[in-house]
Amino acid sequence: MKAVQIVTPEDLRVIDVEKPVTDEKNNVLVRMTAAGICGSDVGIYHGTNAAATYPRIIGHEMVGVVEEINGDGKGLQVGSRVIVNQVTSCGHCYPCSLGRGNVCDDLKVRGVHIDGGYREYICVPAEDCYVLPDSLSDQDAVMIEPTTIAIQSCTRAQLGEDDMLLLYGYGALGSSILRIARQLCPYIIVADVVDSKLEAAKAAGAKYTINAQTEDFQAKVKEYTHGRGSTVSIDAACVKDSLMMLLQATGNAGRVITMGFSTAGTEVNQFLITSKELDVRGSRLQNKMFGKAIEMINQGKLDLTGAVSHTFPLTEAQKAFDFVDTHDPSIRKVVLTFDF
Ligand code: MN
Ligand code: ZN
């Protein structure tokens, strides 16, 4: 079968590998039908994702059809359309004992630390498969994964209806977060450096927007939060100065959520955190949020249709990644398909 492997950074190859077979642990064979391309996949390709190891079959936004079940299918059936959880954890370390397998001491993320979904078949445990709503196409369903990341950050932020949220960055990550956040909290300020993205944020439910390049960011946050600063700030920009900007913009007793993966140094100061007694929290991947996302879709609270802008067959992954690198404004979600 065909697979896409990043051999080393900047070296993407379509390779032939053996079709996997189920065993006691990875007891479900999934035939892949759609796999999203995420910013972090592009990062692994370019060698800027510090978590990744090589060579790697990447892809963590994995949608397919159950083709074979070996033993207990936990409610799955042959033919079930599923999305596969990307997180695997050990189940017995300290974070796992707290129910936080997404930061397991022995965390293995599919498509990052172990092989992922850019291949025709994958074997996974039944409990890592989530049955898709009938209303969603396989291609649109890849968006469930970014949605879980957004649910995780809003959960880490303890976002509630009395909060004034400042969301910095309205790219793929930021727009997923806004979609979730607006269901929890009506008071959302979105900042970015691109006016067209800010217009999109406004249309998607942001109360206020700030162009962080052309406007006085701190003054605008103050103005839009009755002079007190945000109660929650989420960094979906993850650039050099964003953490410091958000520490400054957040009011006393607020929460600041980081999501970046850069290992480059960034200057912050303790006074901002201590004097305002800020909670600075990381939000990584997602912790059992697939069920929540699917529930929201089934309840009609979340519509993921129409997010996919381009598709490429798996065998043309190089073309797809090159296209994503153009940052063409028409790009929303790019999906690899398996009908080649
Ligand atoms: Mn992703
Ligand atoms: Zn663990």
Side-chain angles (χ1 to χ4, degrees):
M1 67 171 189
K2 298 285 181 211
V4 169
Q5 187 183 60
I6 308 299
V7 183
T8 55
E10 310 293 353
D11 185 0
L12 180 156
R13 291 187 206 173
V14 178
I15 58 171
D16 281 298
V17 289
E18 297 242 345
K19 184 176 167 182
V21 276
T22 58
D23 55 28
E24 216 168 293
K25 185 167 172 255
N26 294 300
N27 67 325
V28 171
L29 177 71
V30 175
R31 176 173 57 81
M32 293 287 302
T33 57
I37 299 179
C38 178
S40 66
D41 297 312
V42 178
I44 296 171
Y45 171 50
H46 288 310
T48 56
N49 184 320
T53 52
Y54 301 87
R56 181 65 52 228
I57 294 172
I58 59 173
H60 62 271
E61 301 176 355
M62 302 170 274
V63 170
V65 177
V66 173
E67 189 138 303
E68 191 188 306
I69 299 167
N70 177 355
D72 184 1
K74 314 223 157 144
L76 295 174
Q77 279 158 2
V78 170
S80 293
R81 298 166 60 237
V82 295
I83 184 158
V84 176
N85 185 359
Q86 80 282 47
V87 172
T88 74
S89 52
C90 78
H92 49 73
C93 67
Y94 173 70
C96 282
S97 76
L98 299 176
R100 293 173 61 180
N102 60 315
V103 285
C104 169
D105 289 342
D106 193 27
L107 177 72
K108 300 265 193 295
V109 179
R110 295 192 172 95
V112 181
H113 311 99
I114 57 175
D115 285 341
Y118 288 180
R119 50 176 157 161
E120 292 179 75
Y121 293 90
I122 185 169
C123 288
V124 296
E127 62 263 27
D128 283 343
C129 295
Y130 293 82
V131 175
L132 299 177
D134 291 335
S135 62
L136 211 56
S137 72
D138 290 16
Q139 290 176 15
D140 285 336
V142 304
M143 290 303 295
I144 295 173
E145 192 274 345
T147 302
T148 64
I149 308 301
I151 296 173
Q152 180 72 11
S153 65
C154 292
T155 304
R156 291 283 292 153
Q158 294 176 295
L159 191 63
E161 59 181 348
D162 295 331
D163 280 312
M164 291 186 286
L165 168 66
L166 171 60
L167 172 60
Y168 186 30
Y170 197 70
L173 181 60
S175 55
S176 282
I177 292 171
L178 178 60
R179 206 180 280 135
I180 298 301
R182 71 183 180 193
Q183 313 216 15
L184 301 166
C185 151
Y187 207 112
I188 302 173
I189 303 155
V190 173
D192 200 289
V193 294
V194 179
D195 281 328
S196 60
K197 290 185 178 176
L198 295 174
E199 281 158 31
K202 205 83 189 249
K207 189 177 172 75
Y208 301 106
T209 59
I210 301 170
N211 186 319
Q213 206 150 60
T214 59
E215 294 182 281
D216 183 337
F217 180 79
Q218 299 299 339
K220 283 288 168 187
V221 174
K222 276 250 144 67
E223 180 187 330
Y224 295 148
T225 56
H226 322 298
R228 74 165 312 282
S230 55
T231 62
V232 171
S233 299
I234 299 180
D235 185 1
C238 313
V239 292
K240 192 172 178 292
D241 299 322
S242 51
L243 176 57
M244 186 61 171
M245 285 164 67
L246 295 185
L247 293 176
Q248 285 169 326
T250 308
N252 291 3
R255 284 92 73 200
V256 178
I257 306 299
T258 72
M259 303 186 77
F261 261 83
S262 171
T263 55
T266 180
E267 199 166 299
V268 299
N269 72 64
Q270 291 201 20
F271 181 76
L272 281 170
I273 301 171
T274 309
S275 63
K276 298 194 270 193
E277 214 171 53
L278 299 176
D279 287 330
V280 181
R281 299 178 187 163
S283 180
R284 181 171 193 186
L285 299 160
Q286 54 79 32
N287 189 18
K288 301 184 186 78
M289 297 302 182
F290 280 93
K292 259 190 196 149
I294 290 168
E295 188 185 300
M296 289 170 80
I297 295 165
N298 285 333
Q299 290 171 341
K301 291 181 182 164
L302 186 63
D303 181 7
L304 297 180
T305 57
V308 176
S309 58
H310 300 81
T311 62
F312 293 81
L314 180 78
T315 45
E316 286 175 30
Q318 183 70 60
K319 231 191 226 173
F321 274 69
D322 290 345
F323 178 63
V324 171
D325 274 341
T326 65
H327 297 286
D328 189 280
S330 68
I331 296 176
R332 293 193 306 284
K333 181 53 108 182
V334 180
V335 170
L336 297 176
T337 58
F338 292 76
D339 45 4
F340 44 85

